[in-house]
Amino acid sequence: SQELEQSPQSLIVQEGKNLTINCTSSKTLYGLYWYKQKYGEGLIFLMMLQKGGEEKSHEKITAKLDEKKQQSSLHITASQPSHAGIYLCGAHYNFNKFYFGSGTKLNVKP
Amino acid sequence: DGGITQSPKYLFRKEGQNVTLSCEQNLNHDAMYWYRQDPGQGLRLIYYSQIVNDFQKGDIAEGYSVSREKKESFPLTVTSAQKNPTAFYLCASSPGLQGTLYGYTFGSGTRLTVV
């Protein structure tokens, strides 16, 4: 959606390397979600950020929401082949509309 | 375990046919959604439903229809009016529209191909 821009569109990294995916909103977010999708499968909820400056971690994945609540980054430390997939950010600006970014395809080379 | 079940996983449609994609959830969620995913375009909302017997059009509802006769079920019919139906379809649910604070739960998807 135009409301949410994700970058990069695709990423190939060597196993063990760190990487960052960005999600930028054209408007102030009410809540920002990160999902992971294995190719041809459904989406798995990773984490949700709501407060400006908030940061959450799950295993080797850390997500941050900036103070202005218009940009989020997803950082993977020491990437592994199991991290491969499509990462999507999602956000809602009011209770009736939820938008997704176009996704970032991640490949991790062993 | 609670979750969302989509069926079938793969579906082939001939030109001019209507096909129905199934979505069933046992999470006791009030809200359910259908999304279409095309390569490089992320997810686009087709229809959503807040409660039984009520549903609303999303951003790309043309050529699709839904029903919500039971809380657990939200089937999507792809009609012959949908000119480019080949895509990956995802069903999702949440406790309520306001329950999006807790994220969505997604099914595993149905890949529809026109033959």
Side-chain angles (χ1 to χ4, degrees):
Chain A
S1 70
Q2 292 181 345
E3 284 77 8
L4 286 174
E5 294 285 340
Q6 267 187 255
S7 63
Q9 284 189 322
S10 64
L11 198 52
I12 302 173
V13 299
Q14 199 68 39
E15 183 176 358
K17 295 293 185 183
N18 303 337
L19 64 105
T20 299
I21 298 168
N22 294 303
C23 178
T24 302
S25 170
S26 57
K27 299 182 286 187
T28 299
L29 301 161
Y30 186 83
L32 189 286
Y33 303 76
W34 283 102
Y35 292 88
K36 179 185 175 184
Q37 182 181 28
K38 288 283 190 183
Y39 296 108
E41 297 181 13
L43 276 65
I44 304 298
F45 172 76
L46 294 175
M47 53 192 91
M48 189 271 276
L49 305 164
Q50 196 175 9
K51 298 178 183 177
E54 187 175 8
E55 179 175 323
K56 287 186 178 178
S57 293
H58 175 69
E59 298 180 345
K60 293 184 178 180
I61 301 176
T62 300
K64 300 179 185 179
L65 183 62
D66 74 339
E67 290 289 343
K68 293 183 178 181
K69 294 174 66 174
Q70 286 191 261
Q71 186 168 23
S72 177
S73 60
L74 185 84
H75 184 76
I76 299 177
T77 304
S79 57
Q80 300 170 357
S82 61
H83 288 127
I86 301 172
Y87 289 82
L88 293 104
C89 62
H92 60 101
Y93 302 94
N94 57 56
F95 287 131
N96 290 335
K97 280 284 192 178
F98 192 89
Y99 296 92
F100 285 92
S102 56
T104 296
K105 292 181 183 178
L106 172 64
N107 283 318
V108 180
K109 287 186 173 181
Chain B
D1 287 338
I4 296 181
T5 301
Q6 284 188 245
S7 62
K9 190 170 178 67
Y10 299 97
L11 186 58
F12 297 91
R13 190 194 95 166
K14 293 182 180 179
E15 296 281 351
Q17 265 187 344
N18 293 351
V19 291
T20 298
L21 284 61
S22 171
C23 177
E24 303 276 336
Q25 55 102 354
N26 61 1
L27 300 163
N28 200 34
H29 283 173
D30 287 319
M32 297 187 74
Y33 315 80
W34 274 106
Y35 285 90
R36 170 178 171 144
Q37 187 178 31
D38 295 282
Q41 293 193 43
L43 277 68
R44 292 184 289 169
L45 182 63
I46 305 172
Y47 268 98
Y48 65 98
S49 168
Q50 292 179 267
I51 55 172
V52 174
N53 293 323
D54 181 70
F55 46 84
Q56 307 294 328
K57 291 182 179 180
D59 299 317
I60 55 166
E62 186 175 351
Y64 300 97
S65 66
V66 294
S67 63
R68 187 88 185 275
E69 297 176 0
K70 298 186 300 182
K71 186 175 185 178
E72 304 78 20
S73 179
F74 192 40
L76 173 75
T77 296
V78 184
T79 74
S80 57
Q82 172 48 243
K83 298 306 178 187
N84 184 24
T86 295
F88 190 58
Y89 291 87
L90 284 162
C91 179
S93 72
S94 67
L97 283 189
Q98 296 175 354
T100 51
L101 286 173
Y102 306 102
Y104 287 13
T105 301
F106 282 85
S108 57
T110 293
R111 185 165 298 282
L112 173 62
T113 304
V114 173
V115 295

